[in-house]
């Protein structure tokens, strides 16, 4: 690759001018002429039979156009399919998930009726006028309760509320445990979270009855997947639906799934032949948009006295909520189990996951998706082992690390880590935090009665989802390649069409940097188009830190194809052989005679004029690529957190936070740092503050931002970030992805620090979130 | 936090169904007159009636600050007010911040310091920073963090927002 310092530069983002001036366009900003508004009546019960619905009063209100209930869609709309029906024996049981329930509601906030009105206020008024008679049923919200024989059943045909039991057997776990000097057992709760993108979900649908064309603006991370699933729900040809994701205000996984209401809004637009708009309020977002995490894990770790970890046995109960959301089955199984070897050489890992249905909102991918649950477990167990063996946790990690000269390395769970240098990120992080000095200060502080703790977390994660053969083997409904079209216009300006769907990550800039670098042009001459199925090639979207490794890979390959063609054209224009040409800084020139050359722009024009093309060559200068990576990517790093705990209040004060991440080559280090910052904040949020709480009757008691403790600038500290660069050997750019690293690393780093601060009191584990009250109670009882 | 400057009398308009009120509001230097329902939230007025969609809505409990605007010189969450309360008021929204095509120093600082990612909370943060720096032109980091604690961001971890406001403060002081 030519070095013009665009790739790797801290370039200001191309998307920002519109976003800092209020000129962005989010779905809620779009209101077609004649638009109607939908509001949903939502169930106050977590589990109830719907005996009757009377909407006549609502229908008589001025401005109310229609009311739809489950019976109105019966036979007209298909259930919402899950996109990742994992392969298990016996086969996964998939409940029917209708956009409006036909007979029963199964979680609080499930929509029961849709009111369509001339404006939002009238629609809301009409909700109060609808009478629903419910027969409340017994409720179960906890997954360990739900699998018991005595638990109420959500579905008559799904015994023990168990959708699936998934197993992974990596290595010989029995012999690993036989060899062990010690075995540590723990129960760990990785609690439920509410993803909370600042923009809640929204849908606008517009239907043209003459052409049978449906246009939908959706807050989505995956417009083509949405289109495919919606076409199935509506029984409508996929190519008659256009899905547009305009500016999307964050997703964090919760905008991957296709929701029943999305299809329902489209159905209403078709029925009424008018544009229809639905915008969630925050309470609806919390009640009905997918939640994240929610595992209860039983862990056994086998180790030798010298610190070597031999094996791990994990049984996890994953709460899936009331229905299987789009990616739900794959998240707590493959994305969790495969990563249980962490950054370590562990001989054997056995993992069994119960996928459990409960009377709660559906659970799906949330930043990290399965990998934070695995890393938290592993990094906690490593620290508990260090504590048990009275070893330094940094040293224990070094003993067990896969060494830098052992890559590519196949871990016992069966996946091949592409590249890594775990020792280096650990060393760098320890230096930055001044580890030895800190340990000294900790000892001094402890002598003075102060509680200071240092927590390390060395993670590796699976990103760049993913090679189609591998993901199809897990039951994923499609391949996970990515597409790109790079179009050079006659003027030499370039438009890039990507199948990914960035929603804050900055790829309009990063992708322009890739192309500008390849073509030797300014990034101002490159526009990136995403999120519109009428414009982009069939693409898989943005999640799983795949956008740059897979989507960027596709762009790089397409750009190379263009250079190949452009070179042939240039050779013809200059009447020399192709191999006599060099390409540098946007110019083709004759080797040894640099004054004889043509610019990239001149070649672009010639490609559309045609007469200077080599015989038989098609005009035009564009290329489309579907890039299917040969492996996943494995970013890694070490985070170190130093905390002080206030003995009197249980309050955690973060004194220092150091993050050293390795995401391979960096296209734009400024954006990389931003991803790391935000990720750490989200992981710390899980560690200390945020928790989605249902009471036993299935009421979500954290259904507003008043109750759900999302941290502000007062709680989140500044972070010290650094990085190392270990390129991925198998993708065209050597990149690995960085969207989720911070979230994965920071929860265990913080918890390890808190437990470290309390370790001399015999404490070796505390379940998250570490709210002051929980710590204070613990201290009070010692 | 905020007190109405003056109560301009509001004239009821008789219509067939609901009582509407005639309001006059100046937003970003432009005068607007509309008949609105008493219950219409100011943020809905700004977005759906006037059509300035740069002011966003992120919650229903006044926690997130995405709807922050400058109301008679003070920062206000426009979801906590009714449009009728804005009768006679001067409002500044994100769309009115740059002058003659030139970014306001706070906007530029957000851009230069990568203080935004998805951009949804950004207008609210920028407007809050605008008020904060008017009140306290030379804030310490702690004061900035406190000053923006009524605004929520899910993407950035706040670090670069704080940095941007620091930079903008410095630049505005030197003007």
């Amino acid at each position: 690759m030519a070095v013009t310092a665009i790739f790797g530069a801290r370039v200001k983002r191309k998307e920002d001018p519109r976003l800092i001036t209020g000129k962005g366009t989010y779905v809620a900003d779009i209101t077609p002429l004649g638009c109607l508004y939908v509001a949903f009546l939502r169930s106050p019960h977590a589990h109830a039979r719907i005996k009757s619905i009377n909407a006549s009063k609502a229908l008589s209100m001025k401005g109310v156009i229609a009311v739809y209930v489950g019976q109105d869609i019966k036979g007209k709309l298909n259930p919402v399919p899950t996109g990742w029906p994992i392969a298990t024996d016996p086969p996964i049981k998939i409940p029917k998930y209708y956009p409006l329930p036909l007979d029963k509601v199964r979680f609080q906030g499930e929509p029961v009726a849709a009111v369509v009105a001339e404006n939002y206020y009238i629609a809301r008024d009409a909700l109060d006028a609808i009478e629903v008679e419910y027969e409340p049923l017994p409720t179960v919200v906890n997954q360990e309760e739900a699998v018991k024989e005595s638990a109420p059943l959500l579905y008559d045909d799904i015994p023990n509320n168990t959708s699936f039991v998934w197993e992974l057997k990596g290595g010989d776990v029995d012999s690993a445990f036989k060899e062990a000097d010690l075995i540590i057992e723990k129960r760990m709760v990785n609690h439920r979270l509410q993803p909370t993108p600042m923009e809640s979900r929204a849908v606008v649908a517009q239907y043209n009855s003459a052409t049978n064309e449906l246009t939908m603006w959706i807050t989505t991370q995956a417009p083509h997947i949405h289109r495919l699933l919606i076409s199935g729900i509506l029984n409508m040809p996929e190519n008659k639906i256009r899905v547009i994701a305009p500016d999307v205000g964050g997703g964090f996984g919760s905008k991957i799934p296709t929701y029943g209401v999305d299809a329902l809004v489209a159905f209403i637009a078709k029925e009424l032949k008018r544009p229809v708009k639905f915008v969630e309020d925050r309470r609806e977002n919390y009640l009905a948009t997918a939640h994240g995490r929610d595992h209860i894990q039983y862990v056994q770790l086998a180790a030798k006295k010298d610190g070597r970890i031999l094996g791990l046995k994990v049984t996890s109960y994953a709460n899936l909520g009331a229905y299987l959301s789009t990616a739900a089955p794959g998240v707590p199984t493959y994305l969790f189990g495969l990563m249980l070897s962490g950054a370590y050489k562990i001989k054997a890992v056995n993992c069994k996951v119960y996928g459990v249905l409960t009377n709660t909102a559906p659970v799906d991918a949330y930043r990290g998706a399965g990998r934070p649950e695995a890393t938290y477990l592993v990094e906690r167990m490593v620290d508990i082992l260090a504590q048990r063996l009275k070893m330094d946790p940094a040293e224990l990690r070094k003993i067990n690390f896969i060494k830098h000269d052992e890559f590519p390395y196949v871990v016992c769970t069966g996946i091949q880590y592409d590249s890594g240098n775990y020792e280096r990120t650990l060393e760098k992080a320890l230096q930055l935090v001044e580890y030895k000095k800190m340990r000294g200060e900790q000892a001094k502080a402890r002598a003075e009665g102060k509680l200071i703790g240092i927590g390390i977390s060395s993670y590796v994660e699976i990103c760049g989802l993913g090679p189609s053969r591998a993901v199809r083997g897990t039951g994923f409904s499609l391949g996970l390649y990515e597409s790109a079209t790079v179009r050079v216009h006659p003027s030499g300006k370039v438009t890039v069409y990507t199948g990914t769907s960035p929603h804050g990550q900055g790829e309009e800039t990063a992708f322009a940097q890739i192309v500008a670098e390849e073509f030797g042009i300014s990034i101002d001459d490159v526009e990136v188009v995403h999120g519109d199925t009428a414009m982009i090639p069939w693409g898989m979207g943005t999640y799983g830190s795949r956008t740059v490794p897979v989507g960027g890979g596709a762009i790089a390959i397409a750009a190379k194809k263009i250079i190949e063609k452009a070179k042939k054209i240039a050779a013809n224009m200059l009447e020399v052989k192709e191999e006599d040409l060099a390409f540098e800084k946007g110019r083709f020139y004759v080797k040894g005679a640099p004054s004889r050359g043509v610019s990239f722009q001149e070649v672009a024009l010639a490609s559309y004029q045609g007469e200077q093309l080599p015989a038989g060559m098609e005009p035009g200068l564009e290329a489309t690529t579907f890039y299917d990576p040969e492996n996943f990517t494995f970013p890694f790093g070490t985070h170190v957190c130093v905390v002080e705990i206030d003995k009197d209040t249980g309050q955690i004060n973060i004194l220092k936070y150091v993050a050293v991440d390795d995401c391979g080559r960096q296209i734009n280090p400024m954006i990389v740092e931003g991803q790391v910052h935000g990720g750490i904040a989200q992981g710390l949020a899980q560690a200390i503050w945020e928790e989605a709480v249902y009471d036993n009757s299935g009421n979500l008691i954290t259904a507003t931002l008043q109750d759900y403790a999302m941290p502000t600038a007062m709680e989140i500290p500044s972070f010290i970030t650094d990085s190392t660069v270990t390129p991925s050997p198998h993708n065209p750019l050597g990149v690995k992805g960085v969207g989720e690293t911070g979230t994965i690393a920071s929860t265990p780093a913080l918890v390890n620090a808190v437990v470290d601060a309390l370790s001399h009191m015999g404490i070796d584990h505390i379940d998250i979130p570490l709210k002051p009250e929980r710590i204070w109670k613990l201290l009070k009882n010692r | 936090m905020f007190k109405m400057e003056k109560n301009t009398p509001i004239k009821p308009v008789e219509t067939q169904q609901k009582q509407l009120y005639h309001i006059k509001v100046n937003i970003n230097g432009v005068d607007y007159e509309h008949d609105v329902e008493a219950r219409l939230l100011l943020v809905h007025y700004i977005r759906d009636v006037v059509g300035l969609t740069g002011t966003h809505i992120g919650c229903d409990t006044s926690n997130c600050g995405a709807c922050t605007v400058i109301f008679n010189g003070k920062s206000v969450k426009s979801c906590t007010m009714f449009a009728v309360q804005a009768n006679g008021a001067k409002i500044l929204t994100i769309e009115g911040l740059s002058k003659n095509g030139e970014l306001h120093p706070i906007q530029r600082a957000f851009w230069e310091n990568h203080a935004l990612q998805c951009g949804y909370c950004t207008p609210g943060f920028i407007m809050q920073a605008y008020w904060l720096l008017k009140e306290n032109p030379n804030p310490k980091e702690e004061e900035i963090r406190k000053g923006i604690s009524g605004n929520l961001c899910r993407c950035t971890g706040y670090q670069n927002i704080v940095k941007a406001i620091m930079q903008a403060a410095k630049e505005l002081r030197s003007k």
Side-chain angles (χ1 to χ4, degrees):
Chain A
M1 180 170 286
V3 182
T4 54
I6 296 172
F7 190 106
R10 305 175 77 92
V11 179
K12 281 191 295 180
R13 298 200 323 168
K14 286 170 77 76
E15 35 282 84
D16 288 1
R18 67 176 187 269
L19 302 177
I20 54 177
T21 53
K23 300 282 163 54
T25 306
Y26 298 87
V27 175
D29 303 339
I30 294 164
T31 310
L33 271 178
C35 193
L36 298 172
Y37 292 76
V38 174
F40 288 99
L41 183 70
R42 294 177 183 276
S43 169
H45 300 287
H47 199 191
R49 201 173 302 284
I50 302 166
K51 293 181 75 176
S52 68
I53 304 176
N54 184 349
S56 55
K57 256 189 237 163
L59 280 165
S60 70
M61 291 169 71
K62 204 167 169 73
V64 173
I65 307 292
V67 176
Y68 293 88
V69 300
Q71 293 305 321
D72 298 320
I73 62 157
K74 199 174 174 181
K76 295 179 182 167
L77 291 182
N78 294 315
V80 184
T82 178
W84 202 345
I86 55 168
T88 54
D89 183 23
I92 181 172
K93 297 180 183 71
I94 301 172
K96 290 218 171 7
Y97 171 20
Y98 285 100
L100 289 172
L102 304 182
D103 52 355
K104 267 169 87 175
V105 287
R106 292 183 174 86
F107 67 96
Q108 187 185 50
E110 184 170 0
V112 173
V115 170
V116 191
E118 291 289 350
N119 76 40
Y120 177 72
Y121 284 68
I122 296 170
R124 282 302 188 96
D125 286 344
L127 295 184
D128 297 337
I130 299 174
E131 291 158 10
V132 184
E133 196 185 342
Y134 294 100
E135 177 196 334
L137 297 167
T139 298
V140 62
V141 298
N142 174 288
Q143 58 268 48
E144 281 191 296
E145 295 298 321
V147 296
K148 289 181 183 161
E149 288 298 332
S150 56
L153 287 182
L154 271 75
Y155 303 91
D156 294 338
D157 54 351
I158 304 184
N160 303 108
N161 296 310
T162 303
S163 167
F164 59 80
V165 182
W166 177 84
E167 277 188 272
L168 172 76
K169 290 195 167 109
D172 183 351
V173 85
D174 291 335
S175 85
F177 273 70
K178 251 180 233 152
E179 260 183 74
D181 294 326
L182 75 160
I183 291 168
I184 300 172
E185 296 190 20
K186 276 286 162 213
R187 176 184 186 269
M188 291 188 182
V189 178
N190 204 301
H191 60 278
R192 182 183 281 241
L193 298 172
Q194 295 160 203
T196 322
M198 291 321 299
E199 178 205 37
S200 57
R201 286 184 359 88
V203 189
V204 175
Q206 188 164 27
Y207 179 68
N208 184 322
S209 57
T211 60
N212 190 31
E213 283 170 335
L214 175 69
T215 303
M216 297 181 74
W217 291 265
I218 313 180
T219 51
T220 170
Q221 300 175 226
H224 270 110
I225 297 180
H226 260 84
R227 189 181 72 161
L228 180 63
L229 297 184
I230 287 169
S231 88
I233 300 166
L234 295 178
N235 278 327
M236 193 175 169
E238 192 186 351
N239 60 351
K240 287 290 188 183
I241 305 173
R242 176 182 183 187
V243 170
I244 303 169
D247 286 316
V248 173
F252 310 106
S254 71
K255 291 172 183 172
I256 304 169
T258 297
Y259 294 84
V261 297
D262 301 352
L264 185 64
V265 167
F267 172 76
I268 294 170
K270 279 185 80 173
E271 288 270 303
L272 300 178
K273 298 184 173 53
R274 281 180 69 176
V276 174
K277 179 170 180 171
F278 166 63
V279 181
E280 271 182 351
D281 65 26
R282 179 56 61 188
R283 186 177 159 78
E284 293 181 288
N285 178 263
Y286 276 169
L287 286 169
T289 284
H291 294 170
R293 316 269 194 266
D294 208 346
H295 291 208
I296 297 172
Q297 303 156 343
Y298 291 85
V299 191
Q300 287 182 291
L301 176 136
K304 297 296 274 184
K305 273 187 299 201
D306 62 7
R308 277 180 297 141
I309 301 167
L310 302 170
L312 200 62
K313 288 187 206 170
V314 177
T315 301
S316 173
Y317 294 85
N319 193 338
L320 305 170
Y323 300 99
L324 293 184
S325 181
T326 306
V331 171
T333 52
Y334 287 101
L335 292 179
F336 169 73
L338 291 176
M339 291 316 295
L340 282 172
S341 189
Y344 311 109
K345 282 191 269 190
I346 303 179
K347 279 185 179 173
V349 170
N350 269 18
C351 175
K352 190 171 191 178
V353 179
Y354 291 85
V356 186
L357 299 159
T358 65
N359 295 117
T360 60
V363 176
D364 206 308
Y366 170 58
R367 201 169 191 173
R371 292 150 289 172
E373 294 92 317
T375 303
Y376 176 73
L377 175 164
V378 172
E379 288 306 287
R380 275 286 39 243
M381 290 305 280
V382 169
D383 257 38
I384 295 169
L385 177 64
Q387 199 174 335
R388 207 62 72 83
L389 295 173
K390 298 191 168 43
M391 285 178 76
D392 184 283
E395 290 308 312
L396 184 65
R397 284 179 170 80
K398 281 183 211 164
I399 290 171
N400 287 287
F401 270 160
I402 300 160
K403 306 291 180 295
H404 68 274
D405 54 3
E406 294 174 315
F407 291 93
Y409 186 91
V410 179
V411 286
C412 66
T413 60
I415 45 175
Q416 188 195 66
Y417 291 1
D418 57 349
S419 63
N421 191 335
Y422 305 157
E423 307 99 300
R424 189 163 58 162
T425 53
L426 175 65
E427 280 308 329
K428 205 166 186 181
L430 294 179
Q431 272 170 24
L432 281 169
V433 83
E434 300 180 287
Y435 188 64
K436 284 216 175 98
K437 194 178 136 201
M438 270 299 173
R439 284 283 175 210
E441 282 181 19
Q442 179 188 27
K444 234 190 323 178
R446 205 168 264 183
E448 292 166 11
K450 282 189 200 160
L451 299 175
I452 292 205
I454 305 162
I456 301 170
S457 146
S458 294
Y459 70 93
V460 56
E461 60 152 334
I462 183 167
C463 283
L465 311 179
S468 296
R469 271 195 183 79
V471 297
R472 286 285 297 136
T474 71
F476 197 83
S477 297
L478 292 163
L480 272 175
Y481 65 87
E482 198 46 89
S483 64
T485 295
V486 177
R487 179 172 301 157
V488 184
H489 304 284
S491 59
K493 309 283 188 206
V494 179
T495 305
V496 177
Y497 302 86
T498 172
T500 66
S501 205
H503 42 283
Q505 296 87 345
E507 275 88 3
E508 288 176 33
T509 309
F511 286 169
Q513 287 178 263
I514 295 171
V515 171
E517 179 81 32
E518 292 285 350
F519 294 164
I521 59 177
S522 160
I523 71 159
D524 296 336
D525 291 344
V526 186
E527 289 301 316
V528 176
V529 173
H530 57 80
D532 183 346
T533 60
M535 297 177 84
I536 61 173
W538 222 103
M540 296 303 295
T542 286
Y543 42 85
S545 304
R546 67 186 306 278
T547 308
V548 169
V550 194
I555 290 166
I557 293 168
K560 286 200 165 73
K561 286 186 195 169
I562 285 172
I563 292 295
E564 273 171 36
K565 180 173 180 180
K567 198 171 186 184
K568 288 192 172 74
I569 299 169
N572 204 49
M573 289 167 81
L574 294 165
E575 297 175 333
V576 294
K577 282 188 187 140
E578 209 186 316
E579 53 268 31
D580 294 332
L581 280 186
F583 180 61
E584 207 182 347
K585 290 183 182 164
R587 192 165 172 274
F588 295 92
Y589 62 88
V590 180
K591 288 177 196 164
S595 60
R596 276 193 67 202
V598 284
S599 70
F600 179 76
Q601 290 79 5
E602 286 170 311
V603 174
L605 183 60
S607 78
Y608 286 94
Q609 290 171 327
E611 86 278 10
Q612 294 192 82
L613 300 181
M617 182 184 271
E618 286 180 10
L621 199 55
E622 74 172 68
T624 295
T625 295
F626 284 69
Y627 167 58
D628 201 350
E630 63 182 70
N631 191 5
F632 302 95
T633 57
F634 296 86
F636 59 93
T638 294
H639 290 205
V640 188
C641 179
V642 184
V643 301
E644 178 170 3
I645 297 167
D646 185 321
K647 273 185 168 172
D648 298 326
T649 62
Q651 187 90 31
I652 298 163
N653 183 17
I654 300 169
L655 302 176
K656 205 168 186 183
Y657 194 103
V658 167
V660 179
D661 296 282
D662 192 322
C663 60
R665 293 184 70 210
Q666 300 184 6
I667 301 170
N668 187 329
M670 177 191 82
I671 292 177
V672 168
E673 281 165 20
Q675 288 296 308
V676 171
H677 287 173
I680 297 172
Q682 250 166 309
L684 293 179
Q686 174 172 23
I688 310 181
W689 302 285
E690 291 183 15
E691 184 180 23
V693 183
Y694 281 97
D695 69 12
N696 286 335
S697 309
N699 297 303
L700 181 64
I701 59 177
T702 49
T704 72
L705 265 169
Q706 202 89 266
D707 305 294
Y708 189 73
M710 181 183 152
T712 72
M714 292 288 276
E715 285 82 42
I716 299 294
S718 283
F719 314 116
I720 300 162
T721 55
D722 206 336
S723 58
T724 59
V725 176
T726 309
S728 172
H730 64 77
N731 76 44
L733 299 166
V735 296
K736 290 193 166 193
V738 72
E740 296 156 300
T741 58
T743 315
I744 290 167
S746 62
T747 314
L750 183 285
V751 179
N752 284 349
V754 170
V755 173
D756 184 55
L758 305 174
S759 59
H760 60 293
M761 300 175 174
I763 291 166
D764 69 355
H765 182 67
I766 317 166
D767 272 327
I768 39 179
L770 305 181
K771 296 187 179 179
E773 179 199 8
R774 193 170 280 183
I775 309 265
W776 178 79
K777 276 187 183 157
L778 201 65
L779 291 172
K780 208 176 133 219
N781 295 333
R782 294 279 147 173
Chain B
M1 179 175 81
F2 132 84
K3 225 177 84 202
M4 286 286 286
E5 300 289 311
K6 57 178 177 193
N7 270 325
T8 315
I10 297 169
K11 190 177 74 182
V13 178
E14 294 304 321
T15 68
Q16 288 174 330
Q17 29 171 327
K18 289 208 173 70
Q19 181 125 324
L20 298 181
Y21 296 87
H22 189 75
I23 61 168
K24 290 184 186 180
V25 188
N26 182 289
I27 306 179
N28 305 331
V30 180
D31 290 322
Y32 296 93
E33 288 189 45
H34 289 101
D35 299 334
V36 299
E37 272 187 71
R39 63 175 177 170
L40 182 71
L41 294 178
L42 178 58
V43 68
H44 287 145
Y45 176 73
I46 294 170
R47 287 177 51 81
D48 300 334
V49 179
V50 177
L52 294 169
T53 55
T55 301
H56 298 149
I57 302 171
C59 74
D60 39 21
T61 48
S62 305
N63 287 84
C64 82
C67 64
T68 304
V69 299
I70 305 301
F71 185 100
N72 289 336
K74 289 173 181 166
S75 129
V76 149
K77 291 179 177 173
S78 59
C79 74
T80 63
M81 289 186 72
F82 295 112
V84 289
Q85 290 177 281
N87 186 36
K90 267 184 95 123
I91 294 173
L92 180 67
T93 72
I94 188 72
E95 289 92 343
L97 205 53
S98 58
K99 292 272 178 302
N100 309 320
E102 205 168 300
L103 294 175
H104 187 278
I106 299 172
Q107 291 172 312
R108 210 171 48 243
F110 268 63
W111 191 13
E112 286 169 0
N113 290 284
H114 188 30
L116 61 145
Q117 290 178 26
C118 81
Y120 196 78
C121 72
T122 307
F125 267 97
I126 290 177
M127 299 318 287
Q128 180 63 13
Y130 177 88
W131 175 76
L132 177 69
L133 296 180
K134 281 241 185 304
E135 292 285 301
N136 180 359
N138 192 9
K140 297 190 185 70
E141 179 181 333
E142 218 29 56
E143 291 169 333
I144 292 177
R145 286 185 175 272
K146 194 172 177 202
I148 59 172
S149 64
N151 293 65
L152 293 173
C153 169
R154 194 56 151 176
C155 298
T156 65
Y158 303 106
Q159 187 160 337
N160 287 344
I161 295 179
V162 174
K163 209 169 125 194
I165 297 173
M166 282 281 197
Q167 179 189 310
K170 206 173 154 191
E171 195 179 327
L172 286 166
R173 280 199 310 275
S174 68
K175 275 199 168 176

